[in-house]
Amino acid sequence: AAKAPRSGDDGATSSSRTWCRDVRQLETRGSMAMQRPRPFPEFTSDRQELVSPSHRPSRIILIRHGESLGNVSELVYTEQPDWKIPLSENGIQQSYEAGRQLREIIGSTHAVIYHSPYARAVQSTQYMLHALDADQVVVVR
């Protein structure tokens, strides 16, 4: 059974490494407005139609972020702002598993992923992307 990568592991493909580097760069910025990741490098104009306003998705799948340190202990909220609270180790495992399940659900179709700028949502997306194939994801916003 495949194990989810831990915070410092680097068992990723080149496209997910690029994504992870972008996320780490975004996480170091101070403003929440700066927390939005850039599209995947593979994003091309022929995929633009999949994210255009005229394209309607065939389904919408909602996934909540993994367990955060705030879910483990509410004392965390007294030490740092809500939007900076990261995932717990269990939350990392949950996010990776959610990505594996999402990969099975979407199969050969494409996904457009939207997430909150909160640290735990960015991290959840990052670990979910470790489990997805790069060609399954059109863009991440």
Side-chain angles (χ1 to χ4, degrees), residues 12 15-25 126 130:
S15 62
S16 64
R17 258 192 236 100
T18 302
W19 164 252
C20 294
R21 185 179 60 242
D22 291 346
V23 170
R24 281 193 299 270
Q25 180 182 4
Q126 175 184 0
H130 278 288

Side-chain angles (χ1 to χ4, degrees), residues 33-53:
M34 302 299 286
Q35 299 282 330
R36 296 189 183 153
R38 295 182 302 214
F40 265 55
E42 295 85 11
F43 183 73
T44 59
S45 60
D46 62 321
R47 290 185 175 185
Q48 183 64 37
E49 68 186 47
L50 295 173
V51 293
S52 72

Side-chain angles (χ1 to χ4, degrees), residues 7 27 35 64-73 76-77 79-92 94-95 117-124 126-127:
S7 306
E27 288 174 341
Q35 299 282 330
R64 186 176 186 266
H65 61 78
E67 177 186 77
S68 73
L69 292 179
N71 298 129
V72 175
S73 171
V76 175
Y77 292 100
E79 298 169 0
Q80 63 188 151
D82 185 24
W83 65 273
K84 283 188 173 182
I85 296 174
L87 292 175
S88 66
E89 285 297 320
N90 186 41
I92 291 170
Q94 290 172 339
S95 298
Y118 278 40
R120 56 191 172 266
V122 172
Q123 285 182 303
S124 292
Q126 175 184 0
Y127 288 107

